[in-house]
Amino acid sequence: MRFKYILQMKNIFLVSTILILFSNCRSNYNKKMIEPTAKKIPTTLNYHSDTLTDNYFWMRLSDQQKESSTPDSQTKDVLDYLKAENQFLDVNMSDTDELQSKLFDEYVSRIKQDDSSVPFIENGYIYSSKYDKGEDYRRYYRKENKEGSKEELFLDLPELAKEQKYFSLGDWSISTNNKILAYSSDLVSRREYTIHFKDLITGEILEDQIENTTGGITWANDNKTIFYVKKDEQTLRSHKIFKHVLGTDSSDDELVFEEKDETYSCYVYKSKSNKFLFIGSYQTLATEIRFLDANKPNGEWKIIQPRERGHEYSVSHYDDSFFIRTNWNAKNYKLMKALVSSPSKESWKELIAHRDDIFLSGIEIFKKFLVLQERKDGLINMRVINWSNSKEHYISFNDPTYSVYPSVNLEFDTDLFRFSYSSLTTPNSVYDYNLVSKERTLLKQQEVLGGTFNSENYISERLYATGRDGVTRIPISIVYKKGYKKDETSPLLLYGYGSYGSSMNPYFSSTRLSLLDRGFAFAIAHIRGGQEMGRDWYESGKLLQKKNTFYDFIDCGKFLVDSGYTSPSHFYAQGGSAGGLLMGAIINMEPSLWNGVIAGVPFVDVINTMWDESIPLTTGEFDEWGNPKDKVYYDYIKSYSPYDNVSRKDFPNLLVTTGYWDSQVQYWEPAKWIAKIREYRTNKNLLLMYCNMDVGHGGASGRFESLKEVALEQAFLLKLEGKN
């Protein structure tokens, strides 16, 4: 818990007492508390012909230091500094305590607390999940798909999460005979999951237990064998796939595959048909997939197509064939088909050709139909093709900008395609779409309680900014409440990511309503580095073209200002993880464009992290950022790395969030970064950091606890706007 100060203290003795309590921190306090000042211990780093001095390198702790019950002096110094940052945030945000509580209550008031999922059918059972009022976690139920059957609780997350500071369900899967449940959970927030087993007939928790897995669970068809993945303990790279037989000690589990190339990771999954198991090896630019008859878990795995630099593919199964989505001679991907008996590339036959203006992002196979997920002009389209007569049509959507994706579609012999739809003004909606009649049935729409929400009171637009090259058109999705004044006094929050080819699809958020109802507009910049506009959009925002990501976001910002939506005095930006890198870059490059910036778990120390191959995720990301041990990439990364480019200038107000147990972007990156900004900045804007000492990359767990961090972020923005 973060200590809550009372700023309106009139008793000098009480103030002095509190100062004594925090005398161990490397910060001095006055009535409003002086900013934490991190000590400087120069560390010399030699990269190529460069010699860098890092004054805050000392903040890095090993896992052993963090997990030790007896902290050494370095660990104590780090903990003192992080606590001082949290205390400084508490003092400076204490005038928003009431607002944060009000925002939290608003969020909760909109949630249907006793909510349930849309049921789906699998292997003779109907499955659903439900939230009970006041609960952070779901309960999972099933019943036989026949009249008169009774519903049974088979997975009780509130019970499993009881008294845990953090809880996350990784996966759950039931054996083919419907008798054994396997599920995985993480109690530390480092995405290291333990797999457990439950006999669904007796309710007994079995003795089998498998620790330190990725969380995924894949059953063979013999009802006693599962396949799972383990990570390298140091780098957390998913690199080994094991086979476990129920009733045996997990220490004796057979290693069935090891990915020895340190730039690759691996995974295992089962086909929708339940006939095959697949092992995939992947890196940023290449894929290799093996398959095995799911009825023969002790059989020999066969390669579909050996790995090739630059070749990525994915595999689905139906009948006697594999359906292969591939970028082989097809930058935006095409769909191929091959017999299971002859799956290599030489035997592939083209079903859907490559198109320069359409990105094939996925497929869903049915007995009589094929559904393609395609991207054109940044929007997702669903294209339906009839196998028998090749007739096709598109499923239409009305919003100018939206998000749509397949939901649970486990049956082959059906005319119903289930999908989820959302937009900036439309709550998440689940539909069954009849592929023959083209009729859609709304099964469930997210309820927004409280009595104040009406989608007709909000407006969404699709805009395009022109990049600095005068040619590139960058999509922007924006939403605001009717009555929003498009002038220099109106606040606007611009969100961005732009890495790994991850597309930022516009979606509805009930928590966002609290900003919109207080006069904010919210926008998403669909910048290069994502894949909204096809594969070229991704490739022109990575490696030696990474700066296009930052330029695009800035150019979107300037477009919104020039178009009269806001002004720099009321303009805000937000991004997390690689989007936090984006935030770090834009405040170095264009600090005066933003009044405030929120950077969540920001990846900002790019040179040091990408040089160190012992840090989780490093080796698998050389094709995203480049390997700085190559001088060309070193020079380019150094030219934009947020930590390395902090210089003397005025910085916007800044809120940084991180987690002490984060395994993806270690806490020391944002901690070093904010310390260095404090050292160099030339103004007195707010610089705040919140380090959650109990969680990792994803933040707090549970549907209510995580809302407290949203309230902090929104309160920060509203504080800067003088709104409550």
Side-chain angles (χ1 to χ4, degrees):
M1 295 286 290
R2 302 198 306 276
F3 186 88
K4 293 295 180 185
Y5 281 76
I6 301 174
L7 285 181
Q8 290 75 29
M9 293 178 178
K10 296 182 179 179
N11 189 318
I12 297 176
F13 174 77
L14 183 57
V15 174
S16 301
T17 302
I18 286 182
L19 289 176
I20 293 170
L21 287 174
F22 294 109
S23 62
N24 289 332
C25 295
R26 287 184 311 279
S27 306
N28 297 310
Y29 297 79
N30 58 19
K31 204 167 186 179
K32 287 192 175 181
M33 186 175 178
I34 296 173
E35 288 185 318
T37 302
K39 67 180 180 180
K40 295 161 69 172
I41 303 177
T43 299
T44 300
L45 304 167
N46 295 304
Y47 298 139
H48 299 291
S49 56
D50 251 358
T51 298
L52 304 181
T53 300
D54 188 346
N55 290 324
Y56 306 108
F57 194 87
W58 64 268
M59 292 188 188
R60 174 178 172 174
L61 298 178
S62 67
D63 287 345
Q64 290 74 22
Q65 286 175 293
K66 287 197 292 181
E67 294 166 0
S68 174
S69 58
T70 54
D72 58 21
S73 60
Q74 181 191 0
T75 305
K76 186 178 183 303
D77 284 347
V78 169
L79 292 174
D80 283 348
Y81 178 71
L82 296 177
K83 289 175 184 176
E85 286 287 1
N86 283 345
Q87 291 157 4
F88 182 70
L89 177 138
D90 285 340
V91 168
N92 281 276
M93 292 296 290
S94 64
D95 58 342
T96 70
D97 284 351
E98 185 176 338
L99 174 59
Q100 290 185 54
S101 296
K102 185 177 181 180
L103 289 168
F104 179 81
D105 290 343
E106 287 178 13
Y107 307 155
V108 173
S109 72
R110 299 187 189 112
I111 297 173
K112 181 176 171 58
Q113 293 201 31
D114 54 345
D115 203 6
S116 58
S117 66
V118 177
F120 65 90
I121 299 173
E122 183 177 19
N123 199 23
Y125 278 78
I126 300 173
Y127 290 88
S128 63
S129 63
K130 300 176 184 178
Y131 280 113
D132 289 330
K133 190 172 183 178
E135 297 280 16
D136 267 314
Y137 302 95
R138 297 176 180 268
R139 290 182 171 91
Y140 290 81
Y141 299 85
R142 71 172 188 170
K143 64 179 180 179
E144 286 192 76
N145 187 23
K146 61 183 181 182
E147 196 162 333
S149 61
K150 293 184 178 180
E151 191 172 66
E152 61 182 80
L153 171 66
F154 69 88
L155 186 56
D156 189 342
L157 298 192
E159 182 64 27
L160 294 175
K162 188 181 294 183
E163 299 180 0
Q164 300 293 342
K165 291 183 179 180
Y166 179 90
F167 176 86
S168 175
L169 177 70
D171 188 16
W172 65 267
S173 184
I174 293 176
S175 59
T176 308
N177 63 4
N178 294 312
K179 293 182 179 181
I180 305 293
L181 165 72
Y183 67 92
S184 60
S185 59
D186 172 18
L187 305 181
V188 182
S189 189
R190 281 182 64 81
R191 302 188 183 185
E192 296 175 351
Y193 295 86
T194 299
I195 298 175
H196 306 270
F197 298 86
K198 178 181 178 180
D199 187 318
L200 294 177
I201 307 303
T202 66
E204 175 191 5
I205 300 297
L206 304 183
E207 291 184 2
D208 303 60
Q209 187 168 295
I210 309 169
E211 297 181 343
N212 299 321
T213 78
T214 62
I217 300 160
T218 302
W219 282 96
N221 290 343
D222 64 352
N223 303 302
K224 64 179 182 180
T225 304
I226 73 156
F227 294 84
Y228 63 91
V229 186
K230 276 187 173 286
K231 298 179 181 180
D232 179 276
E233 291 185 1
Q234 182 173 12
T235 66
L236 301 184
R237 180 175 65 92
S238 306
H239 72 310
K240 290 182 178 180
I241 296 177
F242 289 87
K243 177 173 61 179
H244 176 76
V245 178
L246 286 178
T248 65
D249 193 308
S250 63
S251 63
D252 296 326
D253 287 352
E254 179 186 344
L255 175 65
V256 298
F257 177 76
E258 180 177 4
E259 181 51 72
K260 296 183 178 181
D261 188 326
E262 293 184 352
T263 67
Y264 278 76
S265 297
C266 61
Y267 57 93
V268 58
Y269 69 102
K270 196 174 190 178
S271 66
K272 177 179 172 179
S273 65
N274 288 320
K275 292 185 178 180
F276 289 99
L277 308 174
F278 295 104
I279 286 176
S281 287
Y282 69 97
Q283 58 165 206
T284 306
L285 296 177
T287 313
E288 179 178 79
I289 296 178
R290 292 165 165 78
F291 70 101
L292 176 70
D293 187 332
N295 293 312
K296 301 176 181 178
N298 298 319
E300 181 182 351
W301 294 83
K302 299 178 182 178
I303 292 179
I304 290 178
Q305 174 59 36
R307 65 188 68 183
E308 298 174 301
R309 176 79 174 170
H311 183 204
E312 299 174 71
Y313 66 96
S314 58
V315 179
S316 303
H317 169 254
Y318 178 61
D319 199 18
D320 62 353
S321 298
F322 289 139
F323 292 79
I324 301 151
R325 174 181 166 269
T326 172
N327 69 346
W328 174 46
N329 295 328
K331 181 172 288 189
N332 279 333
Y333 288 83
K334 59 186 175 183
L335 184 63
M336 310 292 277
K337 180 180 178 180
L339 292 174
V340 172
S341 58
S342 182
S344 62
K345 191 168 65 176
E346 293 74 20
S347 302
W348 293 359
K349 295 181 180 179
E350 186 175 273
L351 290 180
I352 303 295
H354 173 261
R355 291 149 295 172
D356 290 334
D357 61 338
I358 295 177
F359 178 73
L360 177 62
S361 58
I363 67 171
E364 194 71 60
I365 300 175
F366 298 93
K367 183 176 181 179
K368 292 181 286 187
F369 294 92
L370 173 67
V371 180
L372 305 177
Q373 296 120 60
E374 302 177 338
R375 279 191 177 274
K376 184 175 183 180
D377 296 330
L379 295 175
I380 305 172
N381 298 297
M382 295 291 185
R383 178 184 173 195
V384 180
I385 301 175
N386 189 310
W387 286 121
S388 63
N389 57 23
S390 297
K391 288 185 177 180
E392 60 181 70
H393 69 273
Y394 283 89
I395 303 174
S396 61
F397 307 106
N398 296 324
D399 289 293
T401 181
Y402 57 84
S403 176
V404 62
Y405 54 90
S407 184
V408 181
N409 292 281
L410 298 176
E411 296 179 85
F412 273 109
D413 193 3
T414 178
D415 293 335
L416 296 179
F417 167 57
R418 183 169 293 181
F419 65 86
S420 293
Y421 177 84
S422 176
S423 76
L424 293 171
T425 59
T426 306
N428 189 58
S429 308
V430 180
Y431 289 91
D432 268 351
Y433 180 82
N434 191 298
L435 298 166
V436 177
S437 68
K438 303 179 185 179
E439 296 177 352
R440 69 186 78 189
T441 302
L442 178 62
L443 303 177
K444 177 182 175 64
Q445 185 172 81
Q446 173 190 350
E447 294 185 52
V448 183
L449 305 183
T452 61
F453 172 72
N454 183 338
S455 62
E456 294 181 359
N457 291 334
Y458 302 86
I459 298 171
S460 68
E461 296 181 75
R462 183 76 160 182
L463 308 172
Y464 288 89
T466 301
R468 59 193 61 198
D469 61 4
V471 177
T472 303
R473 297 176 75 236
I474 311 157
I476 302 172
S477 299
I478 187 169
V479 62
Y480 47 85
K481 193 172 185 179
K482 286 182 178 178
Y484 177 81
K485 295 186 299 181
K486 297 180 183 178
D487 64 23
E488 61 184 14
T489 67
S490 295
L492 190 153
L493 174 62
L494 182 63
Y495 178 84
Y497 188 73
S499 291
Y500 304 109
S502 181
S503 299
M504 296 295 102
N505 298 318
Y507 66 93
F508 181 83
S509 166
S510 64
T511 59
R512 190 186 299 138
L513 296 175
S514 292
L515 281 183
L516 301 183
D517 290 348
R518 288 172 170 82
F520 267 77
F522 172 81
I524 302 171
H526 302 285
I527 52 184
R528 282 176 284 184
Q531 215 156 228
E532 289 92 333
M533 303 288 281
R535 191 68 174 182
D536 276 334
W537 201 247
Y538 168 43
E539 293 183 355
S540 60
K542 59 182 286 198
L543 297 175
L544 297 177
Q545 299 186 79
K546 186 62 200 172
K547 288 183 185 178
N548 285 333
T549 300
F550 317 136
Y551 296 151
D552 284 359
F553 192 86
I554 291 168
D555 292 343
C556 285
K558 290 181 175 179
F559 167 81
L560 290 168
V561 170
D562 293 343
S563 300
Y565 281 87
T566 189
S567 66
S569 298
H570 301 277
F571 201 9
Y572 304 91
Q574 183 174 12
S577 195
L581 183 155
L582 169 66
M583 296 300 102
I586 64 162
I587 64 174
N588 283 337
M589 294 176 174
E590 203 77 39
S592 62
L593 186 58
W594 328 95
N595 186 40
V597 170
I598 300 174
V601 291
F603 172 41
V604 287
D605 191 13
V606 189
I607 287 288
N608 288 329
T609 294
M610 292 305 299
W611 191 280
D612 188 347
E613 296 181 15
S614 71
I615 292 178
L617 303 182
T618 295
T619 57
E621 301 205 349
F622 288 148
D623 287 322
E624 180 71 27
W625 313 103
N627 187 342
K629 291 175 183 175
D630 180 327
K631 184 68 161 55
V632 172
Y633 287 107
Y634 172 82
D635 289 340
Y636 189 77
I637 293 171
K638 186 184 175 186
S639 73
Y640 69 75
S641 174
Y643 182 68
D644 296 291
N645 284 278
V646 172
S647 60
R648 300 204 176 278
K649 66 182 68 169
D650 287 357
F651 280 91
N653 297 285
L654 181 63
L655 171 63
V656 182
T657 61
T658 186
Y660 185 59
W661 297 100
D662 194 337
S663 60
Q664 292 181 261
V665 179
Q666 310 278 351
Y667 72 87
W668 62 74
E669 292 200 37
K672 290 170 52 179
W673 181 47
I674 198 166
K676 189 172 182 179
I677 291 176
R678 281 215 179 90
E679 178 186 354
Y680 280 85
R681 63 146 178 196
T682 54
N683 61 348
K684 293 296 182 181
N685 279 340
L686 280 177
L687 292 181
L688 304 176
M689 185 178 82
Y690 170 49
C691 181
N692 189 322
M693 303 303 294
D694 297 322
V695 307
H697 199 65
S701 62
R703 61 172 175 165
F704 296 123
E705 191 64 29
S706 60
L707 295 178
K708 294 177 182 178
E709 294 185 9
V710 179
L712 170 65
E713 294 169 355
Q714 290 193 0
F716 172 75
L717 298 173
L718 293 167
K719 173 186 174 76
L720 296 178
E721 281 295 307
K723 294 177 180 284
N724 57 19

